Structure formats: C-alpha cells, structure tokens
Amino acid sequence: TYLRVGGDNLTDISGVSGLTVIDELAVVRSPVVSIEAIEGLNTLTRLILAGNLIEDITPLDGLTGVERLNLDDNRLTFMTAVATMTGLDDLSVNGNKISDLAPVVANLGITSGDWLRIVGNCLAQNLNDVLVPPQSHHMIEIQKRSVNVQWTPDGNAGWCGN
C-alpha cells in the first residue's frame, strides 16, 4: 500500500496514524512540522518526508522495517532516531542542518553497499574546511563499512549559523 500526499495546505498528517498496513508513505513539499502520527507504523519500508518543515524525527525511533528514508530539505539539526532504524539501506538527509553523524555510526544495520546522502548540511565550518573530530572519526567509521556516501562539508554558512 502506498500513500503520497503534499501541498501548501497540508499541515497535519494525524490521519495516517490509523493506517495499520502501509508499505510506503510520502509526505512531500508541505508545511508539515510534526510527524508524531508516523510513530508505530511498523509496516513501513519506504518513507519520504522531503521538503517539509520537520525539526524532530523522534517518532521514527525504532521503525526497524524502514529501508529507505528521505528527509531532504527539512530543518533537522539532529537525527538520533536513525540509530535504531536498523533496516535502513538508503538514508538521505540532504539540505538540513545536521552536524553529528554519531547516530549513523551507532546504527550497525547500515553496512556495505548501503547509501548515506548528506549533502548541504553543517558538518564543517565552511566549504574549504575538512572534517574535524568527532565528525572525521564518524565519517571514517562509516566508510570502513563500505557505505556509499555522498556529502559536502557544509551547507550555506548563514543556514548553519556561521
């Protein structure tokens, strides 16, 4: 079962909480902030939440069946819930404010051949900088697992608070 919703008028997705058998959910390009309704949707394998106003993905904690997660172009500064999403094989968080890769390192389900896309985040001070500890250590650990990584060191300096 697949549901795709979006648009400028969509601000509340509480109606999806009753979908007990859903494989794929896409909520795109909407002013959605809260994703609490997704908590407990354990049948999800693909979740696309791109182009919203999401700051907190805590409700995704423990959704171990999700294989593909797209959180591009939101307002994320952390992604702690990713640490428990052990089914992930494709994680995309492009265009956010993420500065910590520790949750990806903690997720031992992300392994060889899987994908991490983290372009345009806040991993370094500016485009010419290199990663410094602890992020450099995290990236090394991720790459040791032969995870495919697409990344740039930073997002827009104003966006990242620099």
Side-chain angles (χ1 to χ4, degrees):
T1 310
Y2 179 80
L3 176 63
R4 180 184 173 102
V5 294
D8 293 341
N9 294 325
L10 180 67
T11 58
D12 181 8
I13 61 166
S14 59
V16 304
S17 65
L19 301 174
T20 56
V21 181
I22 184 167
D23 302 313
E24 301 181 21
L25 176 62
V27 179
V28 295
R29 295 184 206 102
S30 303
V32 169
V33 174
S34 174
I35 58 169
E36 289 179 18
I38 296 173
E39 186 172 19
L41 294 182
N42 296 320
T43 59
L44 284 173
T45 59
R46 183 175 176 188
L47 184 55
I48 302 169
L49 299 170
N52 295 294
L53 301 176
I54 300 165
E55 295 178 0
D56 182 8
I57 62 167
T58 302
L60 306 183
D61 190 19
L63 291 181
T64 58
V66 174
E67 298 168 1
R68 180 171 183 210
L69 177 60
N70 183 326
L71 293 161
D72 291 354
D73 302 318
N74 278 286
R75 295 184 175 176
L76 300 176
T77 56
F78 62 95
M79 54 181 177
T80 309
V82 166
T84 63
M85 300 179 74
T86 55
L88 283 176
D89 57 31
D90 190 333
L91 172 61
S92 187
V93 290
N94 297 324
N96 283 284
K97 297 181 181 184
I98 293 167
S99 60
D100 185 8
L101 297 174
V104 177
V105 173
N107 185 334
L108 298 180
I110 298 175
T111 59
S112 179
D114 292 346
W115 279 93
L116 169 63
R117 294 173 176 87
I118 191 158
V119 173
N121 279 273
C122 303
L123 296 176
Q125 294 300 312
N126 62 58
L127 190 58
N128 297 319
D129 283 352
V130 295
L131 292 180
V132 295
Q135 297 319 313
S136 59
H137 299 306
H138 293 155
M139 187 63 80
I140 290 167
E141 286 302 313
I142 292 165
Q143 290 174 332
K144 277 183 187 177
R145 296 186 203 166
S146 299
V147 173
N148 299 303
V149 179
Q150 288 180 334
W151 77 288
T152 56
D154 80 330
N156 176 291
W159 177 250
C160 292
N162 298 336

